[in-house]
Every structure is written in C-alpha cells, then in structure tokens.
Amino acid sequence: MRTHTRGAPTVFFISLLWPLLAPAAAAAAAAEVDPSGGIPFMGGNYDGHPMLYFSRGDVEELQYAATGTHQDMARRIREAGETMLEHPEEYLPPWSPAEFSARWNEVYGNNLGVLSMFCLLYPHRAGALDLAKDYMERMAAQPSWLVKDAPWDEVPLAHSLVGFATAYDFLYEYLNKGQQERFLQVIGNASRHMYEKSYVRGWGFQYLHNHQPTNCVALLTGSLVYMTQGYLQEAYLWTKQVLSIMEKSMILLQDVTDGSLYEGVAYGTYTTRSLFQYMHLVQRHFAIGHFDHPWLLKHFAFMYRTILPGFQRTVAIADSNYNWFYGPESQLVFMDRYVLRNGSGNWLAELIHQNRVIEGPGQAGKGQRWCTLHTEFIWYDPNLIPKPPSDFGTPRLHYFEDWGVVTYGSALPADTNRSFLSFKSGKLGGRAIFDIVHKNKYKEWIKGWRNFNAGHEHPDQNSFTFAPNGVPFITEALYGPKYTLLNNAVLFGSATSGSCFKPWTGQVTEVCDSKWLRYKVGLAADAQGQVEAALERQGMVFIRGEGSSAYSPELKIRNFQRNLLLLHPQLLLLVDHIHLDPDSPTRAMSAFFHNTELPFQGTNIDSVHGAFVSHGEDRYKMFWMDDTGFSHKGVTGYWNYPHGYPYIGSNYVNVTMPLRYPHSRVAYIFFGPGVDVQSFSLRGDDQRVDIYLATKDHTYTIYLLTGEVTSKPLFAMVLQDHKKIVFEKTAAAVQTSPEEVEEYVNVMDDNLQHVKPVFQQMERHILGRVLNSASFRKTAERLLQFSDKKKTEEVIERMFAMSKKQGKGKGGKKVNLGEKLSESLPDLFAQIEVNEKKERQRTSKRTYEDSPEEGDADSRAFMDYPDGRKNRKGAFVKGRKFKEVHMVATVGSEGLSSTASYIRLFLLLNTGTFFLLLAVLLTRFQRGRSLHTQRCFYTILIIDCFILLYLYSSCSHTQC
C-alpha cells in the first residue's frame, strides 16, 4: 500500500490547489473585460454635490487636468463658455413661456451641461457663474419645458431636465439656499411628470428606440439628485421604473450581434449619447455593470466602418444628417476607457475632431455641437495613447449581419482611389428586432411591433451608395419623406393598393401622408431584404442582395436581385436581375439615384444614355443598358421635400426600363475621372448575364450567374485582362439568429435588486447626519412623505424620542444611532412600491393617452413591477440563486470596512497555516509515518482548503 501511495502527494496536492488557482486565473481573464469598467461603486455614501459622475473631492483633480492632460477638451469647453458669455442674448433661454415653448427647444438643456462644466473648471472666470445662475433662473421660471405644438413628446423636456439636473449637481455649492430649494422643486416636478408619462408613452415600452434612453436618463438623473436631497421614496420609484425599462433594453440588445443600431449612425449617436450615460450612472450608483455587454464590445465597428474617406461623413441610412447628431467624440473616448483600452477610440475621436466641417454640409447642429463636451472631458483617459486599428489605411469589407448593411473602404484618408461603397438589404428594424417580433421571443415583455418603433427607417432594401475618391457620387437623400424613390431603390410599374405615385409601386413600407415609416401592420410588418453575398477577392468586391420580399405580392415578382461589382476603386458595375411570375402585372421598372448636393446632367455616347455630376473640374459619370442593348434616356431633376423636414430636397436621375417575362437584366456603370470607359455591352440567357467592359487600361469580362439553380457553384467570375477572379457560392452570407437570453426575466430582476440597498444606505446616512439638529423632524417627514399619514406621526415621535438619547454601547463604544433609527422605520420602499403597483393596476385601463406617433400601443405590454423572486407567471424559478447585493461604499462605510479587514486577516493567517501544514506533510510525514497519520493530515488540509475557499469568496464579495 505504501508503495502505491508514495508518489501520490504531489499529484494530490496539485489537484487540491487547483480550486484555489482556478479563481485567480478566472479573475485574470475577467480583468480583460471588467463589467464595472473600473468605475467605483458609491454604495449610497455621498458627501453632497457633485455626485452624479464624480465627487466633491474629484473637482480639484478635474481642474488640474484641464491645464494638462485634458487641455484640448478643456479649450473647447472654454470656447463654448466664452461664446455664451460674449453673446448671452443669443444663448440664454427666454423668460417668456410662450417664446420658450414656441419651437423645438432642446438647445437650452444641451448647452446648460457644458456651461456648468465651464463654471466648475474655471470658477474664477468673471461672469460665468452669474450667467449659469441666470440661465437656470430662466429655465426654472417656465411652467413647462414641453413644446407647445408637440405636448405628447417628452424629448425636449428630457433634454432640459438632464441639463438642468446636471448643472444643479455641478454648481450646488455656488447656489444660495433659496435657489437650491427652488431648483430642486423644478427638478422634482419635471421628474414626476416624466415618471407618470413613462407608463403611457411609447418611450416606456418601445425598446432600442432613441427616445427611450434619452428620456430614461433624464428621469434617472433627476431621481439621483432628488435622492441625494433626501426624497427617497419618490426617487426610489422613479429609479426602479427607469431600470425596469432600460435593463430590458440591455437584454434585448444582446440579440444585436454586430454592434449596430437599426436607426442608423446619426440617430445611433442620439441613442448612445444617453445610453453610455446610463451605463456610467448605474455602475457608479448601483453596481450594475454593463461594460462586458456583447453589443458594446462590437459597437466600435459601427462607428469606424461607417465613415466615408476624409472622416467628415458617414453612411446616411435611415433618417440622417451627413454624419452624427451627437458626438461622436464623447462616445468614442467612453468606449476606449471602459471597453477597448487600446487607444483606438481616442485616435478616432481625435481624427474626427481634426476634420470637422466648420461651415457647410456636415457641420454640427447649433443645438447639439456642445452638449457632449462635458461627458467627453469626464470619460477621457489620457493614459490611452491614440493608436489606429491595425488595418487602418487598407480598404476593408465589413458586413453588419443584423443591420443588413455592407460597407467597403471606410475610415480612410481622402485621396485618389480611396473609394467608399455601401449596400443595404436587411430585415425591417434589423434582424434582432424582426426575429423577436416574428419568432415570439421574449414573450413576457414583447407583444409584437407595438414594443418597437421603426418610424425612422426608410423603404431602402437593395439600396446603395458610392463615393469614388471619397467624393459623394451616389448618396442617400438624408432625413426626408419615406418614399422608395428617395432611396436609390427601384419602383415597379402597375399600381397596387397604397401606391403613392401611380402607376408606380414602391416598397410596402413607404407611406404617402406621414413622416414615419409604415411598419406595424399588414404587409409592411413582414418586409425584409437579404444580403446573399459580400465577398472581396484580389481587390475586387462583390455584393448581392435579394429584395423581392420588400414589395407587394400583387406584383408577382419572384426575384429582385441586385448585384454590385467594384472592379476598380473608381469603377462600379451594378446589375439588377428581375424574375417575374407568369401572371405578373408589372412590365416596367424605374430606378432612382440621388446626390444631395450636386445636380445630375444628362449625356449619351453611341446611343447609350447616362448622366454625370461635376465636382470641381472632375466629372463622375454613369451609363445604363439592359440585356437587349436598349438604353432609355433618363430624367434628371430636383425633388423638393415638404415643409417640416431639416433638408429641402435632393438631386436625382430617374432611369425607366421595360421588363419582360420571365426575366430582365439592367446594368449600370459608375466611374470617376481616373477611369476612361471605352466600350460597354451585355447579353444574357436563363442562367447568366455576360458583361463586357473596356477601359483605357483594362478589359473586363464578367460572367454573372443569376439563376436560382446554376451550373457552377459561383456567384460571378471576372476576367481582368488575363487574370481570373472567382466569387464562389461557398462563401455566401450565412443567415442565423441568436437564441433568446436564458432566464431573461430573472437577469433583469437580479439587477433591480441592486437599487433598494442603496436607498436603505442613504436612509441611514441621512438620519445619522441630522441627529439632534433642528432639521431632524423635517427630514423624517421627507423620508416618510408617501407613507400612511397616521402611522407616520407615530413613527416620527418615536424616532424623535430616540434621537434625544445619546446612548453609548458597551465598553463606551458609540452606537450608530442612524442605523437604529433606520431600523425603527417601516420599510419605506416596500410599502410605497406595493401601493404604487396597486394604483398602476387600478388605472392601467384608463391611463393610456393617444399620440400621433404611438396611437395603437398597449400600455399593459410594459407595465410591471418586478417581484424579486418571481417571474411574470407567478411561479418561483427552481434551481436559481439570485445575486446578493453587497453594499460596498467608497467612503463612510466603517462597518463594512472593519468586516473586510477581519476577513483579510483571517485569510492571510489561514493561507500561512495551510502552506505550513503542506510543507510539514511533504517533508516530514511523506516517509516513515503511518498511513493513518498521513490521512489525518490530509483531512486537516482538506478542511483548511475549504475554509480558504470560503474566506476567498467572502473577500472577493467585500472587495477586501
């Protein structure tokens, strides 16, 4: 026996030590993506204002950074502040309520954030604080921050609230007592209004839409300020409501696997402006970490792969301007500091700022240009040296599989042959939202399209853009009416029901009499396109999309296939393949191509018609022809947008061509001044179409296989001079859909459990702070503001009597009277939550208010108060342990710190004991001792090992 066990101790103890080593290895791996982002959890322990993003003790450090590491951002903040000081009449809100509410007024809240940061960094700047106080007085004087003509839209109010509450937090110590109380009342009234409307407006239940984080972060900011001032019960309800909405969004966002946002880049920055603030705030105040979120890990690609050469414009898919509505420098430094940690975010932010358009198309809006400067300053990490991604400078093909968008040539310096190409063919709302709706996923929360809002999307399946040499040649038509003809897409002859431009029919989502896309019901609810291929081979790019499902079945279109071949950086071939059913009524197609700035002019060469735009001395040309050799003259013009849109219209060229049964092909070539096309022809059969192109430098023969069943497993083959390039079907885009997040209801409930302990800690601190002071009774009444009035009086009297007893504990140790008083209170938050839940259930049938944009939604689809341990069906979830919320504070948590110290001491002592016993066993008792003695030592070591694991777990929870 002794012979067989003599070699065992080494193996035995390696296996025994593995449980101790494994957590350390796991911790090292987790450190790469820290869910907290390194943001310390406050734990309900605040030393007054500021407290939202940083504490009072951090202000001096921020002021020091403004003269050193952050001086570039500080300079922009100072320029904004000085501009407002020089022209106060231009930037101060009006006193008149009629004037304040007469138009969209987000500018007032947006500018107040940067003004308050300016005052905080430069408190001695003459006139700055007076301007900020005057600014806040004017806003506080308004009876409402809503816009008169849009009383159903809380977004302008949200901008005002988040700016006003942020300024209140930053400048609290500079306000007099009257201003502190008055401004707090304004914040409370606005937050209360937002809270009430969160139950009846779309932003409370339409997930992943830009209104939702905008309004929720405003309410959260107001509630945090209100909480700090001791109004715990109301602030608790507001906070829980925000988190119950936003945590659902964060779970649903996990289905978006490519980091995109379906509303496009411009509105995407509207969403992330607030979404990133939300992530920061819930980690700092409630220890809810989202910095390892899979969508966030991919979001940099959405910013980087959508920028045109020159870093001034982006893909303008969906309602858009030329680039970004908000930021994006703030969002980029946020991602770098909390997610990327490689300098790429800082690098891109720096490059975008250097190339900013000061005047003309693409310049930042007056109402948005400054509103993210303060968060950019707060989130910037100067230790991350700006560094481009490893593939910078090389054109890359990128496929956003959820968004249904392909880009090529993004984020390059503007130069000859630095070209950009994009293509869109995807599911309405993106794959995640579309599949959630159609596959009945997340059915505890989602009741079809009513829980989403695709109103900002366009009827744009199988659309594209092209910018040879970085010059926008074929562009999106920006924020305009939702017509197919404004989206570089195709209309078909033969009018159907709902056609906007008879006898032509566009995509089923287009709408004739609204600013918003049709998406909720009917054929529109099922509209989709599909990217079938996105390949790059030897410097050439091939993209194919299928768009027939975006059109009415009445047209009997079996296939609408759009093929793009980038043969040269300045030469693009586009081929439309239309396969009709035998009884299809359509016999013509009409394609539109847009340029928002440069007008098209007609041209033709040898009966092949075309058009061109002039950019300086250069001409960018296009020609077209069908597979019979026919080329119809195009129509050029300017499409004027109706009043109410931010842009006045777009230049276009319209190409109408006949269709034949069973199939027709139309080819278009687009080229820049560096390419001289000398000949262009095509012919086809049932299986394929052959295109012949000759330029001054090369000849191209393209074999494009368009049949549903082809003789070879290819999409296309290109012969360039004597070189062959093949685009094989084996590399086709694979269509998949992610699985529903496991136990998603409980995941959200776990995060909501973080809220109550923070408010309970606040309750203890507030009571401890006002002991034996004149404000004790007033503070107690404020804490119990929404409790039963009769019981409140009894509780206050009992607390007041206890506060007079300055008792001492045993051994002369002071008793924490704040905690004792807190324990004597009823559970403030459970009581008000139960009351509120009953009230919402009672009024849910009559509280919904129609709005022009959200008139058929169902408020019951989102109204719930999570019940901790139960799912919506009322059954307990078996086999699941809910996360315990540990209150670890950065300051003022004596009890917890002492506990952590004891645990640390026992851990160190036990570790030493363990290794001492291990050494004794291996050196003294391995040989010459009885087997019984060795087993006793093994038993002692195993017990000690479990004690070590327990202490290690306790220490990790208390962050000791």
Side-chain angles (χ1 to χ4, degrees), residues 731-911:
V734 179
Q735 304 298 321
T736 60
S737 183
E739 294 295 321
E740 182 180 87
V741 174
E742 188 178 353
E743 294 190 4
Y744 60 91
V745 173
N746 299 315
V747 172
M748 184 196 73
D749 286 350
D750 280 1
N751 283 340
L752 263 64
Q753 302 309 310
H754 290 228
V755 176
K756 193 172 181 179
V758 172
F759 277 82
Q760 290 172 329
Q761 184 82 339
M762 282 293 298
E763 179 188 344
R764 288 190 285 271
H765 282 315
I766 290 170
L767 288 173
R769 200 163 55 228
V770 297
L771 283 178
N772 297 319
S773 70
S775 61
F776 178 81
R777 180 178 289 275
K778 183 179 179 182
T779 302
E781 289 174 349
R782 182 182 292 182
L783 288 173
L784 294 160
Q785 185 179 9
F786 291 91
S787 301
D788 181 85
K789 298 298 180 187
K790 185 178 179 181
K791 291 181 180 178
T792 296
E793 289 298 325
E794 297 172 5
V795 172
I796 290 174
E797 290 300 328
R798 191 165 66 249
M799 290 170 60
F800 193 70
M802 287 180 63
S803 72
K804 295 299 181 183
K805 300 175 183 177
Q806 283 291 343
K808 296 221 177 219
K810 291 181 181 179
K813 187 178 178 182
K814 264 196 171 182
V815 176
N816 189 332
L817 203 52
E819 290 193 17
K820 279 193 101 176
L821 288 169
S822 175
E823 289 167 8
S824 72
L825 282 172
D827 189 335
L828 307 179
F829 311 110
Q831 182 181 341
I832 190 174
E833 197 167 10
V834 169
N835 293 342
E836 184 72 0
K837 183 176 181 180
K838 288 178 181 176
E839 177 65 15
R840 293 297 166 189
Q841 287 175 338
R842 185 176 66 83
T843 60
S844 63
K845 293 181 180 179
R846 58 182 176 82
T847 55
Y848 185 73
E849 301 171 14
D850 285 344
S851 75
E853 197 175 338
E854 302 152 359
D856 63 347
D858 182 358
S859 63
R860 287 167 294 180
F862 66 92
M863 192 220 71
D864 69 331
Y865 265 83
D867 198 9
R869 301 290 197 275
K870 295 186 178 183
N871 61 20
R872 286 284 296 275
K873 296 178 182 176
F876 285 93
V877 180
K878 296 181 180 179
R880 178 176 175 81
K881 276 184 78 174
F882 283 77
K883 286 192 288 186
E884 184 182 350
V885 183
H886 297 273
M887 293 301 303
V888 182
T890 55
V891 290
S893 187
E894 296 174 8
L896 286 171
S897 62
S898 62
T899 302
S901 298
Y902 284 126
I903 293 173
R904 188 187 304 114
L905 177 63
F906 282 123
L907 180 61
L908 291 173
L909 288 174
N910 206 274
T911 303

Side-chain angles (χ1 to χ4, degrees), residues 572-604:
L572 173 68
L573 169 68
L574 184 151
V575 179
D576 285 335
H577 164 80
I578 298 94
H579 188 168
L580 302 176
D581 285 333
D583 54 346
S584 172
T586 185
R587 285 295 178 264
M589 63 173 285
S590 185
F592 281 79
F593 306 93
H594 287 267
N595 191 304
T596 51
E597 295 169 63
L598 306 175
F600 288 96
Q601 300 178 56
T603 185
N604 77 87

Side-chain angles (χ1 to χ4, degrees), residues 73-94:
M73 275 159 281
R75 176 180 50 78
R76 297 200 288 275
I77 290 171
R78 184 155 196 162
E79 286 173 358
E82 295 292 350
T83 302
M84 285 188 262
L85 278 170
E86 288 174 18
H87 307 283
E89 70 288 343
E90 187 177 340
Y91 294 97
L92 281 171

